[in-house]
Amino acid sequence: MILRFLDRFEEVMITFLMAAATLVIFVAVVHRYAAGLPIPGVQDFLLGLNLAWAQELCIYMFIWMAKIGAAYGVRTGIHVGVDVMINALSSEWRNKFIIFGLLAGALFTGTVGTFAVRFVHELYSTEQVSADMELPMWLVYMGLPIGSYLMCFRFLQACYRFIRTGSLPRPDHTKVEGIEAVEILHADDSSSKGGKP
Amino acid sequence: MTTAFIFGLLISLMLTGMPISIALGLTVLTFLFTMTQVPIESVALKLFTGIEKFEIMAIPFFILAGNFLTHGGVARRMIAFATACVGHLHGGLGLAGVLACALFAAVSGSSPATVVAIGSILLPAMIAQGFPKRFGAGVITTSGALGILIPPSIVMVMYAVATNTSVGQLFIAGVIPGIALATMLGVVTWYRAWKNDYPRLPRASFLIVLRTFKDSLWGLLLIVIVIGGIYTGMFTPTEAAAMSAVYAFFVSVFVYKDMTLKQVPKVLLDSANMSAMLLYIITNAILFSFLMTHENIPQAMAQWMIDQNLSVILFLLGCNILLLLAGNVMEPSSITLIMAPILFPIAIKLGIDPVHFGIMMVVNMEVGMCHPPVGLNLYVASGITHMGITELTVAVWPWLLTMLVFLVIVTYWPPLSLWLPRALGMM
């Protein structure tokens, strides 16, 4: 139940951040050029808006997205490594290396998470704020410990599942999305190319 | 000694198959705890603030734009246009594939995405027309690599981030080499088709060319937005990327209507997933290069090479071999992020232009994507054609050889990449 909530949280969060960051930059750019247009009334209103914080907001949104998305990425198996050597080994040794790799991931992200907690804790006592939006910095960097610990948890989870079931999340290269477009092409093949020979 | 330790540790960690980002991070941590006096706090700060650059944020935007274009029907219309233009020549659909890849590369920043977008539509059509599977797979796998040479390009952004080079200059510098490589691949395709007498299409009437052009115009306009916008200074590269993402969304959903609003969250999620992975590698690679710089490793290597009186020709040859070897085991983003900070200072000391060096690295990455064991383009093509990797390797060799020849040209003839940005007064 909690796991399902966590899965959902990751997905919704990074989808939202991706969309929101794109929109923020889009609006800021449109605003920059629209404010230069001499439309009475509208121009004064646009010039009155200050969107200088857009870049900063975009950066922080993407950092949150990167941290939480990295954890989601462990679940989808998108973090690739150099598997040339271990693929050449017997499956027994290969499994050992895979478990080692997953535990190493958990160790690294766990350590970084602990660093991040200390880092955020120190910031909390300094009352630093960000340059443009004047958000408290500890809040901005809160994504780091959350993301790192989440990623650590995902590595441990992947390791546990691998030992239990022997299956590993891997991105599937053999399944190509967009392949359904083939039928569309064949359907209008004759019209777009002036008949097949 | 330190250098040997760092690289030894990094390589052995990588060989265990753990994610590259983790291998980089663990190397830095191990080094910190055992061998150095660098205050941990300064490293932690680098780890947390290293990617706070607006330029880096171009990467998620370009990935998002690419995903919308792949699924939104832009690729399909570009193929129709390319087919109408060159389908009647020797090589027919194959030649159209090269042109379509080049066009799509001009709106997308990733190679595998280009292979998926063009290949999943064109390859089945080629096989249905009677082309040997191998021929089609070879054309698309290698032409798809144009995705990272013709701007926009995610790998170029990575290089710019790693070496503080201007993204705009790199993008413009990639235009002519991109067109040159597309031409060379096209000539090989034409020659092989002519020799083996592969099927051609009837010549499309001018009206059809015009209509397919009009259909694909919405997609082609994106080239103007990205390249034109950056060149005239209307947008920064990151802004251009964001604009192209919004534009691609708009075209896919509202103009071409090949994508429904319901599919949009899935595209966003996939893009976020891919971007987060790349940003995670970037974070750890920045940490790694911070450590290297702190230990003066690239500078020491540069000094050593200069003391050996190493010539530029030899250095570039060495770089190419090193990068091609690395291309055997790692994917382009990681190679660029790890190698660029090491090789770049040496190149600068030897008087090599940063932009030229960047283009050379990108072409190296292209070659790496098309040959086993980790050529991502190969895997994607294998997914589309259901051909084995070994068979595909045989299939791509004529084009791969062409790319190697092209690599030599790019490496030893800098004006090919530097002429356009200079002529436009960008550098």
Side-chain angles (χ1 to χ4, degrees), chain A residues 22-34 51-52 54-55, chain B residues 239:
Chain A
T22 314
L23 279 179
V24 164
I25 294 301
F26 177 73
V27 170
V29 173
V30 170
H31 168 262
R32 189 170 75 212
Y33 286 101
L51 291 180
Q55 282 201 5
Chain B
E239 285 170 349

PDB file of all heavy atoms in Angstrom, chain A residues 22-34 51-52 54-55, chain B residues 239:
ATOM      1  N   THR A  22       8.919  23.231 -18.274  1.00  0.00           N
ATOM      2  CA  THR A  22       8.810  23.618 -19.680  1.00  0.00           C
ATOM      3  C   THR A  22       7.901  24.832 -19.836  1.00  0.00           C
ATOM      4  O   THR A  22       8.228  25.793 -20.521  1.00  0.00           O
ATOM      5  CB  THR A  22       8.246  22.450 -20.502  1.00  0.00           C
ATOM      6  OG1 THR A  22       8.927  21.256 -20.114  1.00  0.00           O
ATOM      7  CG2 THR A  22       8.444  22.666 -21.981  1.00  0.00           C
ATOM      8  N   LEU A  23       6.751  24.772 -19.153  1.00  0.00           N
ATOM      9  CA  LEU A  23       5.800  25.876 -19.266  1.00  0.00           C
ATOM     10  C   LEU A  23       6.379  27.179 -18.717  1.00  0.00           C
ATOM     11  O   LEU A  23       6.196  28.241 -19.295  1.00  0.00           O
ATOM     12  CB  LEU A  23       4.501  25.521 -18.531  1.00  0.00           C
ATOM     13  CG  LEU A  23       3.565  24.634 -19.326  1.00  0.00           C
ATOM     14  CD1 LEU A  23       2.311  24.315 -18.520  1.00  0.00           C
ATOM     15  CD2 LEU A  23       3.175  25.319 -20.641  1.00  0.00           C
ATOM     16  N   VAL A  24       7.086  27.074 -17.606  1.00  0.00           N
ATOM     17  CA  VAL A  24       7.652  28.274 -16.987  1.00  0.00           C
ATOM     18  C   VAL A  24       8.589  28.991 -17.961  1.00  0.00           C
ATOM     19  O   VAL A  24       8.486  30.205 -18.166  1.00  0.00           O
ATOM     20  CB  VAL A  24       8.411  27.902 -15.687  1.00  0.00           C
ATOM     21  CG1 VAL A  24       9.316  29.042 -15.251  1.00  0.00           C
ATOM     22  CG2 VAL A  24       7.418  27.586 -14.583  1.00  0.00           C
ATOM     23  N   ILE A  25       9.486  28.215 -18.593  1.00  0.00           N
ATOM     24  CA  ILE A  25      10.429  28.847 -19.520  1.00  0.00           C
ATOM     25  C   ILE A  25       9.708  29.373 -20.747  1.00  0.00           C
ATOM     26  O   ILE A  25       9.981  30.471 -21.228  1.00  0.00           O
ATOM     27  CB  ILE A  25      11.537  27.844 -19.928  1.00  0.00           C
ATOM     28  CG1 ILE A  25      12.395  27.506 -18.712  1.00  0.00           C
ATOM     29  CG2 ILE A  25      12.414  28.418 -21.027  1.00  0.00           C
ATOM     30  CD1 ILE A  25      13.078  28.698 -18.080  1.00  0.00           C
ATOM     31  N   PHE A  26       8.733  28.604 -21.217  1.00  0.00           N
ATOM     32  CA  PHE A  26       7.958  29.047 -22.379  1.00  0.00           C
ATOM     33  C   PHE A  26       7.279  30.384 -22.086  1.00  0.00           C
ATOM     34  O   PHE A  26       7.394  31.342 -22.850  1.00  0.00           O
ATOM     35  CB  PHE A  26       6.915  27.973 -22.734  1.00  0.00           C
ATOM     36  CG  PHE A  26       6.014  28.362 -23.861  1.00  0.00           C
ATOM     37  CD1 PHE A  26       6.494  28.388 -25.161  1.00  0.00           C
ATOM     38  CD2 PHE A  26       4.696  28.711 -23.631  1.00  0.00           C
ATOM     39  CE1 PHE A  26       5.666  28.745 -26.209  1.00  0.00           C
ATOM     40  CE2 PHE A  26       3.863  29.072 -24.676  1.00  0.00           C
ATOM     41  CZ  PHE A  26       4.351  29.094 -25.965  1.00  0.00           C
ATOM     42  N   VAL A  27       6.599  30.460 -20.955  1.00  0.00           N
ATOM     43  CA  VAL A  27       5.892  31.687 -20.595  1.00  0.00           C
ATOM     44  C   VAL A  27       6.878  32.844 -20.441  1.00  0.00           C
ATOM     45  O   VAL A  27       6.635  33.961 -20.913  1.00  0.00           O
ATOM     46  CB  VAL A  27       5.074  31.480 -19.296  1.00  0.00           C
ATOM     47  CG1 VAL A  27       4.543  32.804 -18.775  1.00  0.00           C
ATOM     48  CG2 VAL A  27       3.937  30.512 -19.556  1.00  0.00           C
ATOM     49  N   ALA A  28       8.029  32.571 -19.824  1.00  0.00           N
ATOM     50  CA  ALA A  28       9.003  33.643 -19.613  1.00  0.00           C
ATOM     51  C   ALA A  28       9.511  34.194 -20.937  1.00  0.00           C
ATOM     52  O   ALA A  28       9.656  35.409 -21.100  1.00  0.00           O
ATOM     53  CB  ALA A  28      10.166  33.135 -18.770  1.00  0.00           C
ATOM     54  N   VAL A  29       9.770  33.297 -21.905  1.00  0.00           N
ATOM     55  CA  VAL A  29      10.277  33.752 -23.201  1.00  0.00           C
ATOM     56  C   VAL A  29       9.202  34.534 -23.952  1.00  0.00           C
ATOM     57  O   VAL A  29       9.458  35.623 -24.478  1.00  0.00           O
ATOM     58  CB  VAL A  29      10.765  32.559 -24.054  1.00  0.00           C
ATOM     59  CG1 VAL A  29      11.116  33.023 -25.460  1.00  0.00           C
ATOM     60  CG2 VAL A  29      11.972  31.906 -23.406  1.00  0.00           C
ATOM     61  N   VAL A  30       7.981  33.976 -23.967  1.00  0.00           N
ATOM     62  CA  VAL A  30       6.880  34.668 -24.652  1.00  0.00           C
ATOM     63  C   VAL A  30       6.671  36.047 -24.016  1.00  0.00           C
ATOM     64  O   VAL A  30       6.508  37.054 -24.709  1.00  0.00           O
ATOM     65  CB  VAL A  30       5.587  33.834 -24.581  1.00  0.00           C
ATOM     66  CG1 VAL A  30       4.400  34.654 -25.059  1.00  0.00           C
ATOM     67  CG2 VAL A  30       5.738  32.584 -25.424  1.00  0.00           C
ATOM     68  N   HIS A  31       6.718  36.084 -22.713  1.00  0.00           N
ATOM     69  CA  HIS A  31       6.539  37.344 -21.993  1.00  0.00           C
ATOM     70  C   HIS A  31       7.602  38.368 -22.394  1.00  0.00           C
ATOM     71  O   HIS A  31       7.300  39.536 -22.625  1.00  0.00           O
ATOM     72  CB  HIS A  31       6.594  37.089 -20.488  1.00  0.00           C
ATOM     73  CG  HIS A  31       6.709  38.336 -19.663  1.00  0.00           C
ATOM     74  ND1 HIS A  31       7.913  38.789 -19.175  1.00  0.00           N
ATOM     75  CD2 HIS A  31       5.778  39.238 -19.269  1.00  0.00           C
ATOM     76  CE1 HIS A  31       7.704  39.909 -18.519  1.00  0.00           C
ATOM     77  NE2 HIS A  31       6.437  40.202 -18.549  1.00  0.00           N
ATOM     78  N   ARG A  32       8.853  37.876 -22.522  1.00  0.00           N
ATOM     79  CA  ARG A  32       9.948  38.791 -22.846  1.00  0.00           C
ATOM     80  C   ARG A  32       9.697  39.498 -24.176  1.00  0.00           C
ATOM     81  O   ARG A  32       9.951  40.681 -24.315  1.00  0.00           O
ATOM     82  CB  ARG A  32      11.255  38.013 -22.909  1.00  0.00           C
ATOM     83  CG  ARG A  32      12.475  38.917 -23.015  1.00  0.00           C
ATOM     84  CD  ARG A  32      13.742  38.124 -22.823  1.00  0.00           C
ATOM     85  NE  ARG A  32      14.075  37.326 -23.990  1.00  0.00           N
ATOM     86  CZ  ARG A  32      14.694  36.154 -23.931  1.00  0.00           C
ATOM     87  NH1 ARG A  32      15.000  35.625 -22.778  1.00  0.00           N
ATOM     88  NH2 ARG A  32      14.981  35.499 -25.044  1.00  0.00           N
ATOM     89  N   TYR A  33       9.188  38.723 -25.163  1.00  0.00           N
ATOM     90  CA  TYR A  33       8.969  39.324 -26.479  1.00  0.00           C
ATOM     91  C   TYR A  33       7.630  40.042 -26.553  1.00  0.00           C
ATOM     92  O   TYR A  33       7.509  41.067 -27.221  1.00  0.00           O
ATOM     93  CB  TYR A  33       9.114  38.272 -27.574  1.00  0.00           C
ATOM     94  CG  TYR A  33      10.573  37.943 -27.765  1.00  0.00           C
ATOM     95  CD1 TYR A  33      11.134  36.803 -27.215  1.00  0.00           C
ATOM     96  CD2 TYR A  33      11.412  38.829 -28.445  1.00  0.00           C
ATOM     97  CE1 TYR A  33      12.487  36.535 -27.338  1.00  0.00           C
ATOM     98  CE2 TYR A  33      12.757  38.576 -28.571  1.00  0.00           C
ATOM     99  CZ  TYR A  33      13.291  37.430 -28.026  1.00  0.00           C
ATOM    100  OH  TYR A  33      14.624  37.182 -28.142  1.00  0.00           O
ATOM    101  N   ALA A  34       6.622  39.499 -25.863  1.00  0.00           N
ATOM    102  CA  ALA A  34       5.297  40.122 -25.912  1.00  0.00           C
ATOM    103  C   ALA A  34       5.326  41.489 -25.245  1.00  0.00           C
ATOM    104  O   ALA A  34       4.644  42.422 -25.669  1.00  0.00           O
ATOM    105  CB  ALA A  34       4.269  39.218 -25.240  1.00  0.00           C
ATOM    106  N   LEU A  51       9.418  38.428 -14.470  1.00  0.00           N
ATOM    107  CA  LEU A  51       9.591  36.968 -14.556  1.00  0.00           C
ATOM    108  C   LEU A  51      11.064  36.573 -14.458  1.00  0.00           C
ATOM    109  O   LEU A  51      11.486  35.545 -14.964  1.00  0.00           O
ATOM    110  CB  LEU A  51       8.987  36.437 -15.861  1.00  0.00           C
ATOM    111  CG  LEU A  51       7.464  36.513 -15.942  1.00  0.00           C
ATOM    112  CD1 LEU A  51       6.976  35.976 -17.270  1.00  0.00           C
ATOM    113  CD2 LEU A  51       6.806  35.754 -14.812  1.00  0.00           C
ATOM    114  N   ALA A  52      11.858  37.402 -13.818  1.00  0.00           N
ATOM    115  CA  ALA A  52      13.290  37.123 -13.723  1.00  0.00           C
ATOM    116  C   ALA A  52      13.571  35.833 -12.952  1.00  0.00           C
ATOM    117  O   ALA A  52      14.631  35.243 -13.090  1.00  0.00           O
ATOM    118  CB  ALA A  52      14.005  38.296 -13.048  1.00  0.00           C
ATOM    119  N   ALA A  54      12.176  33.038 -13.392  1.00  0.00           N
ATOM    120  CA  ALA A  54      11.809  31.840 -14.151  1.00  0.00           C
ATOM    121  C   ALA A  54      12.974  30.850 -14.285  1.00  0.00           C
ATOM    122  O   ALA A  54      12.803  29.648 -14.086  1.00  0.00           O
ATOM    123  CB  ALA A  54      11.294  32.234 -15.525  1.00  0.00           C
ATOM    124  N   GLN A  55      14.155  31.392 -14.624  1.00  0.00           N
ATOM    125  CA  GLN A  55      15.315  30.500 -14.804  1.00  0.00           C
ATOM    126  C   GLN A  55      15.629  29.760 -13.513  1.00  0.00           C
ATOM    127  O   GLN A  55      15.878  28.561 -13.520  1.00  0.00           O
ATOM    128  CB  GLN A  55      16.539  31.315 -15.213  1.00  0.00           C
ATOM    129  CG  GLN A  55      16.516  31.706 -16.663  1.00  0.00           C
ATOM    130  CD  GLN A  55      17.908  32.052 -17.163  1.00  0.00           C
ATOM    131  OE1 GLN A  55      18.895  31.903 -16.455  1.00  0.00           O
ATOM    132  NE2 GLN A  55      17.989  32.491 -18.394  1.00  0.00           N
TER     133      GLN A  55
ATOM    134  N   GLU B 239      16.583  28.039 -23.803  1.00  0.00           N
ATOM    135  CA  GLU B 239      15.265  28.565 -24.132  1.00  0.00           C
ATOM    136  C   GLU B 239      14.779  27.987 -25.456  1.00  0.00           C
ATOM    137  O   GLU B 239      13.601  27.631 -25.585  1.00  0.00           O
ATOM    138  CB  GLU B 239      15.309  30.094 -24.210  1.00  0.00           C
ATOM    139  CG  GLU B 239      15.387  30.752 -22.846  1.00  0.00           C
ATOM    140  CD  GLU B 239      15.663  32.246 -22.925  1.00  0.00           C
ATOM    141  OE1 GLU B 239      15.991  32.736 -24.030  1.00  0.00           O
ATOM    142  OE2 GLU B 239      15.575  32.908 -21.896  1.00  0.00           O
TER     143      GLU B 239
END
